[in-house]
Amino acid sequence: MDSQPPSLPDAFLKKLATRYALSDLETEAFVSKLTHTELHNRIIAKMLFISPERLRNRMTSIYRKFDIPAKKGPVKFRLLLAKVMKIYQKESPENYVNVEKAETDKLVNDIHRRIRDSIDRSCRTMRVLDISQPICVEEIYTEVKILRQISSNRHVHISDLTTDLFDPVKSEQRSGPRQPGLDCIMQHRRLMILGKPGSGKTTFLKYIAVLCNQQKQLPDYLPFFIQLRDFAEQPSQMTLADYFMAECHKNDIEEIDAQQLLKNSRILFLLDGLDEVRDCDKRFVSRQIQEFAKEFANEARHNRIIVTCRLAAQERFFEGFTEVEIADFSESQIQFFAQKWFDSHLLSVGKSGATVQEFMRSLNQHIRIRELASNPLLLTLLCLVFDDSKGFPLNRSDLYVQSLDVLLKRWDANRGIVRSQAYESLSLRRKEDLLSQIAFETFSNRELFFRNNTAEKIIEKYIRNLPQSSDDPETLRLDSQEVLNTIEIQHGLLLARARGIYSFSHLTFHEFFTARKIAKNSGPEAQRRALTHLAKHLNDPRWEEVFLLVLSMLDEADYLFELMILELKPLLGRSDKFNQLFT
């Protein structure tokens, strides 16, 4: 049989009752109530062989003698308990710790029961892309892997990154070992989780909340999931501590109980989406997180705080926080996610669609599409597209357009997030044109990885011709830096791979935007020049995907075929097999 948790000794309670001039009947009620704090009044009354009303009358008299202010019943009792515990702590400090822990354990278990449904409603499901109904987080969650070294902080050479691109083993060695995400949250009280757009930060945080809510992970803690954007946009700007108390009030948690939970280190704060906070609010929110952590997650109070943010949007380091990065999906994670997605989603909509075996087989046959699957958001899109059409589109550029639409527009729009514009004249179309210019120039120069100043010069050249653009060189330089940073934060299409070194997030997008620049020129003459430039690379394997994409984008490909024939003519006569193929 399990031993009973420690409680306040009868002798101490009876001595206290005498000190506060309680009658014999009041003392009986006082001792019973304080030694069985988890029991309902009806049960206490039954133990004392009196009616619940008579017990209430006795407790009312007790509250008055202990100078407890007239409030609701549960609050009055919590105030009485707090006062008694304070006296006990002063008079018997050697025994107080065990009793305090036992009382807090009871409180945590009680509140777990009361808020379980509320946390389930806010964290157990989420909307993803165009799926018509919410998806259960547990049904699609794939184990998150954590990198202890932030990729953009590495000091490496471009040549190292280029080598890594074609050698996954070296790439993994350079990025460091991958740690299970749940292990990481157990090790650190203050944690900043960084990740690329669509890397699964919110899913991970909600999954932690669900596990904690079910007392499967950090069972002694109560999870509080807070969207930082909601906190920042409160009509009256309140502190994070006040916001937490307001959230407790919504969940019928009294302030005195919340204070006890904070004091005894029983709250897990899950603060999601620092990057989603408006620029005008970021300084305030960041300061609130830092001050909140210093007060409630310090050496004396071991409450836990986890904050999520997009990689490039984390401008300030929080003192005492460990920063980690969510790793891209590995092959096994992709297969595991796809298995769970097809099993759960197809069953929920009541239809039999493609199998995960068909999906993985087709994915592995398309190297460029397979590359996109390392991002959980784009992997979800791939699963949706594959199921709808029972395969991937024959024209791969259509799939890339859908992927870019998700990253450039739909992902934030579906969640009602409006991010600040770094440059007011940079519309969505102009961003695509700018990305195409960066891709074309760097790809033509054989730069899959390029210095930040290379990208900034291309951006500066582009925005110089925009309406309301400044003529001042320093202003243009600063604007180009801001635009580069904005593209990385908002869309993740350009990423800092190491200090001062950028690339497109996927080689697929580098090739796609290069092809777009060639195929979507504004005038016939400009397009002829671009196609002539492309034809010169006919014998270069690096340009193979670009050729295929350009051919799929052009309304009429006759001129490009003519240029290709001119390039191939010198090869005629060298091989009968080639002549046959050429014909």
Side-chain angles (χ1 to χ4, degrees), residues 240-250 253 255 258-259 262:
L240 192 52
D242 289 338
Y243 187 81
F244 165 67
M245 287 300 174
E247 290 297 300
C248 286
H249 181 72
K250 290 179 186 177
I253 300 173
E255 182 174 347
Q259 292 289 359
L262 285 172

Side-chain angles (χ1 to χ4, degrees), residues 285-297:
V285 172
S286 296
R287 186 172 65 250
Q288 284 299 310
I289 293 172
Q290 187 69 78
E291 292 175 357
F292 194 75
K294 284 183 178 178
E295 184 173 359
F296 298 112

Side-chain angles (χ1 to χ4, degrees), residues 146-147 150 152-153 191-196 199 201 274 307-315 317 322-327:
I146 294 295
L147 299 175
I150 308 302
S152 57
N153 290 340
L191 191 64
M192 170 69 75
I193 299 178
L194 304 173
K196 303 163 189 168
S199 60
K201 299 180 294 295
L274 181 59
V307 185
T308 65
C309 184
R310 288 187 176 181
L311 266 169
Q314 170 54 358
E315 300 170 350
F317 293 101
T322 298
E323 292 191 349
V324 297
E325 179 181 342
I326 293 183

Side-chain angles (χ1 to χ4, degrees), residues 107-125:
L107 180 61
V108 168
N109 288 331
D110 174 55
I111 295 179
H112 257 303
R113 288 191 294 271
R114 284 192 276 134
I115 68 174
R116 187 161 287 149
D117 290 344
S118 173
I119 294 175
D120 273 353
R121 285 193 299 272
S122 61
C123 295
R124 201 166 189 179
T125 61

Side-chain angles (χ1 to χ4, degrees), residues 206-311:
K206 287 194 169 187
Y207 184 69
I208 294 170
V210 170
L211 287 185
C212 186
N213 192 38
Q214 297 170 347
Q215 294 183 283
K216 294 178 180 178
Q217 195 84 12
L218 297 169
D220 296 332
Y221 287 78
L222 288 165
F224 274 81
F225 183 91
I226 296 175
Q227 289 281 1
L228 289 172
R229 176 164 52 104
D230 294 339
F231 161 64
E233 294 175 2
Q234 288 295 300
S236 56
Q237 205 171 56
M238 59 175 70
T239 67
L240 192 52
D242 289 338
Y243 187 81
F244 165 67
M245 287 300 174
E247 290 297 300
C248 286
H249 181 72
K250 290 179 186 177
N251 286 283
D252 296 324
I253 300 173
E254 301 295 343
E255 182 174 347
I256 187 171
D257 292 338
Q259 292 289 359
Q260 182 177 343
L261 294 169
L262 285 172
K263 175 188 172 186
N264 289 282
S265 312
R266 296 304 184 87
I267 304 294
L268 170 62
F269 293 100
L270 303 167
L271 310 181
D272 188 42
L274 181 59
D275 57 283
E276 296 175 3
V277 174
R278 295 174 303 187
D279 285 349
C280 59
D281 296 323
K282 271 187 180 173
R283 185 178 295 276
F284 168 76
V285 172
S286 296
R287 186 172 65 250
Q288 284 299 310
I289 293 172
Q290 187 69 78
E291 292 175 357
F292 194 75
K294 284 183 178 178
E295 184 173 359
F296 298 112
N298 51 39
E299 292 304 317
R301 294 181 174 185
H302 296 174
N303 298 293
R304 293 172 175 267
I305 300 180
I306 303 176
V307 185
T308 65
C309 184
R310 288 187 176 181
L311 266 169

Side-chain angles (χ1 to χ4, degrees), residues 313-341:
Q314 170 54 358
E315 300 170 350
R316 300 175 181 85
F317 293 101
F318 291 158
E319 183 182 343
F321 277 75
T322 298
E323 292 191 349
V324 297
E325 179 181 342
I326 293 183
D328 290 341
F329 269 2
S330 63
E331 181 74 28
S332 59
Q333 286 173 297
I334 292 170
Q335 181 153 356
F336 185 84
F337 177 94
Q339 181 72 62
K340 296 193 78 171
W341 192 91

